[in-house]
Amino acid sequence: PINDDDSSSSLKNHDSSTMLTSSSPVPALLEQRRVTRRTATRASWESKKKAQQQELYSFLSGLIAGVSQAGLFNPYDRALYLSVKHKRRFIHWENFTSPYQGFMQSIVGRAFSGGLFFPLERFYKSLFVEQIRTQQFPSETSSSFNTNSDKALHNFLAGTAAGATNALLLNPLSAVKYKTWGRDANRGMMNEALGMYRKGGGLQPFFNGMLPTLCRDVIFGGCYTFLRMQFVQLSSSS
């Protein structure tokens, strides 16, 4: 004979075990979602940190390269400028009497030019790629767009935009540098800039030669970024 109490207790135990079994996947699913969320957050944080490090390394690399170029080529650049200005031979002793006159303006200009170019290049490249992707391929993901797009065009556009920005920002320093190179004695960067401002009637002297500088930096930036990125792609694919 089966006791009613035993049967009822067994039924209760069966119902409770069934409820536990049916509800047991819920905590596991929630835990899995929390783990996935934490993993995604950590991956996003690490990606941002890596991007910031790359920006810093790019700026420092360009800065060091610019300072090194200024130290090496300032005597040559000044001699070339004086030979053109005074219409005399390049190999002339007067062109090399003060080889590092205007060196401070030159080193500041080259340092900032090199330091700003690579971060600007990366900024404009990501900006152009994202803008063109959203306009022409709104339903495509960024990865599929990058695979199907003309990367060479984006590299060229990013380089030209970075070169143009450099030219607009640094042309005033170049104007002060050339003014200093044309003098026999160095008056200092601040005194030279104040003299240009007073005698020139404002900011106009600082924008002398803007168009040639803009054309030079736009052509250089586009060709440099295009050729460099093409070489990197060829090297990685080979």
Side-chain angles (χ1 to χ4, degrees), residues 7-193:
S7 61
S8 61
S9 61
S10 62
L11 287 174
K12 290 180 181 180
N13 293 333
H14 176 72
D15 293 338
S16 61
S17 62
T18 304
M19 293 176 61
L20 290 174
T21 305
S22 60
S23 61
S24 59
V26 176
L29 182 60
L30 293 176
E31 181 64 23
Q32 184 179 3
R33 289 180 178 177
R34 283 195 293 267
V35 171
T36 304
R37 192 180 299 111
R38 286 197 299 266
T39 304
T41 303
R42 182 175 181 84
S44 177
W45 180 80
E46 290 179 351
S47 177
K48 291 180 180 179
K49 184 178 179 181
K50 185 177 180 181
Q52 292 175 354
Q53 289 178 347
Q54 289 178 349
E55 293 290 342
L56 178 61
Y57 294 155
S58 298
F59 177 77
L60 292 178
S61 299
L63 190 68
I64 294 172
V67 171
S68 303
Q69 289 179 5
L72 290 174
F73 295 110
N74 192 80
Y76 177 87
D77 292 340
R78 182 174 183 273
L80 182 62
Y81 171 79
L82 293 177
S83 66
V84 174
K85 179 182 178 181
H86 298 291
K87 298 180 180 180
R88 60 192 179 205
R89 292 177 298 134
F90 174 74
I91 306 298
H92 193 280
W93 68 272
E94 291 185 2
N95 295 336
F96 295 92
T97 52
S98 300
Y100 283 97
Q101 184 169 320
F103 176 70
M104 184 57 64
Q105 294 87 340
S106 180
I107 196 173
V108 170
R110 285 186 179 268
F112 277 101
S113 177
L116 291 175
F117 183 82
F118 295 107
L120 287 172
E121 178 192 77
R122 292 171 61 88
F123 168 75
Y124 283 119
K125 186 176 179 181
S126 61
L127 181 65
F128 288 149
V129 169
E130 184 63 23
Q131 184 175 5
I132 296 174
R133 184 190 70 82
T134 54
Q135 289 180 357
Q136 297 183 1
F137 303 90
S139 61
E140 297 287 338
T141 60
S142 59
S143 60
S144 62
F145 171 75
N146 290 334
T147 303
N148 300 326
S149 64
D150 189 0
K151 294 183 179 180
L153 177 61
H154 302 150
N155 295 333
F156 180 79
L157 291 176
T160 55
T165 305
N166 256 351
L168 294 173
L169 292 177
L170 300 178
N171 190 80
L173 279 176
S174 298
V176 176
K177 176 183 68 177
Y178 292 131
K179 194 72 173 179
T180 304
W181 279 353
R183 297 188 181 277
D184 296 330
N186 189 1
R187 300 171 52 190
M189 184 169 59
M190 293 302 299
N191 291 331
E192 196 68 56

